[in-house]
Amino acid sequence: MCDIYLIRHGFTPANNASYNGQEKLSEIANIRDMPLEITYGRAQAIEVGKYLQRITGKNLIYVSPYKRTMETMELALSQVNFDYKIIINNDLREIDSGVHYARTVNELLKEYPEAKEVLDKLNDDPDNTRYLNGESQIDVKNRLQNISKEIKNISESNKYANIIIFAHGTVNRWLIYLLTGKNLDHTLKNGEIIKISNDVVESVFLPNAYVPLGYRVDIEKYKELVRKNKNLDNI
C-alpha cells in the first residue's frame, strides 16, 4: 500500500469570517469560486510544495474542483520535480454550508433568523444536521464512499509511489475515516498535511505562514480579483 497525503487548501478570505470575525466576506465569491488569500494562503501553498519536494517517483494527485484547492495544488506543484498524474474529482468538493458560508454567526442570524434553529441542532448533532440550504457531515461522508474505495484500491495496487489529495477540512476528515476507520482528533488547519502510511495517521506538516489575529481582508480587492478571473475564464 502506497502512502497517502491529504492536504487542506491554504487560507482564504472566507476563513477570516470565523478566524477573525470579519463580516461581508460572502460578497467576494461563492463557495466554489472563493480564491486563496493572496498573502498567507498563497504562501502556505508554496510551503506545502516545499514539503512535497521530499517525495519521488510517479505520483497520483486527486484534487477538488474548487478554486482554492486548484490554486493550492498549482502553487505547490510549482515547487516539485516528480512525475504526476492529476485527477479532478467533484466528490472531493467541500461540504455545502449553504447560507452559512463566509458569514459570521451574527451576520448569519441577522440575514437568516431561521438559521438559529439550525445552529442549535448543529451543536446537538453536528454530523446529521444539514446547514441551512446545504449539506450535513453525513451527506459528505456518503458521497465520499466511492472515491475512498477507488483511492484505497489504487494505493493497494502499488501503481504509484504516493497518492496526494488536495481537498478540504471536512472532506479530508471523512477520507481519513473511510480509509482507515480512525477519527482525526483535531480540526485540520489551512495547509496542513496528514500522512496515511500502513494505516498510521499522522499530521506531518503545518505551514509557518500563519494568519495573525486581527487580520483584515481587503474585500473590494478580492471582488475585483474574482471578477477579472471570471472574465479571463470566458475568453
Side-chain angles (χ1 to χ4, degrees), residues 12-218:
T12 74
N15 292 135
N16 218 34
S18 57
Y19 186 64
N20 275 312
Q22 185 173 356
E23 298 189 348
K24 307 292 186 183
L25 295 168
S26 61
E27 297 177 1
I28 294 174
N30 61 31
I31 190 171
R32 178 176 290 273
D33 295 329
M34 187 66 72
L36 283 179
E37 192 276 329
I38 61 176
T39 301
Y40 295 97
R42 290 182 181 176
Q44 289 170 349
I46 289 171
E47 285 189 66
V48 165
K50 290 180 178 177
Y51 175 87
L52 294 178
Q53 288 173 356
R54 67 192 66 199
I55 290 176
T56 59
K58 183 179 180 182
N59 299 282
L60 180 61
I61 296 174
Y62 283 96
V63 61
S64 154
Y66 283 9
K67 187 168 184 62
R68 56 193 180 274
T69 42
M70 297 291 288
E71 286 185 330
T72 300
M73 178 191 71
E74 290 163 1
L75 288 166
L77 293 183
S78 72
Q79 304 298 306
V80 307
N81 58 10
F82 53 67
D83 293 331
Y84 56 82
K85 174 184 176 181
I86 297 173
I87 296 176
I88 301 171
N89 186 283
N90 191 50
D91 286 340
L92 295 175
R93 67 191 185 275
E94 180 58 305
I95 186 171
D96 182 353
S97 53
V99 300
H100 299 244
Y101 181 70
R103 288 181 171 88
T104 66
V105 171
N106 288 339
E107 203 175 8
L108 175 69
L109 294 177
K110 189 182 299 180
E111 296 181 45
Y112 301 92
E114 64 272 31
K116 173 67 168 61
E117 183 179 353
V118 177
L119 291 176
D120 291 341
K121 288 181 178 179
L122 282 168
N123 285 330
D124 295 335
D125 189 4
D127 283 351
N128 291 293
T129 301
R130 286 192 173 98
Y131 286 102
L132 185 61
N133 299 339
E135 291 181 294
S136 71
Q137 294 278 340
I138 294 302
D139 290 332
V140 177
K141 177 187 176 185
N142 290 339
R143 72 164 145 88
L144 290 171
Q145 295 285 348
N146 288 337
I147 184 62
S148 64
K149 289 176 184 175
E150 179 179 314
I151 291 168
K152 196 164 193 175
N153 288 338
I154 292 174
S155 72
E156 291 173 349
S157 73
N158 292 317
K159 183 177 178 181
Y160 295 94
N162 303 280
I163 297 175
I164 304 168
I165 302 165
F166 290 89
H168 308 267
T170 299
V171 169
N172 286 348
R173 169 204 170 192
W174 284 116
L175 283 176
I176 291 165
Y177 177 79
L178 291 168
L179 291 169
T180 69
K182 298 176 181 178
N183 289 307
L184 197 64
D185 61 0
H186 67 280
T187 300
L188 283 166
K189 295 181 172 61
N190 293 106
E192 184 172 2
I193 302 177
I194 300 293
K195 181 180 179 181
I196 300 175
S197 182
N198 296 320
D199 283 339
V200 175
V201 180
E202 61 177 332
S203 177
V204 294
F205 176 77
L206 283 172
N208 289 317
Y210 202 75
V211 182
L213 291 175
Y215 181 70
R216 283 292 180 268
V217 168
D218 185 338

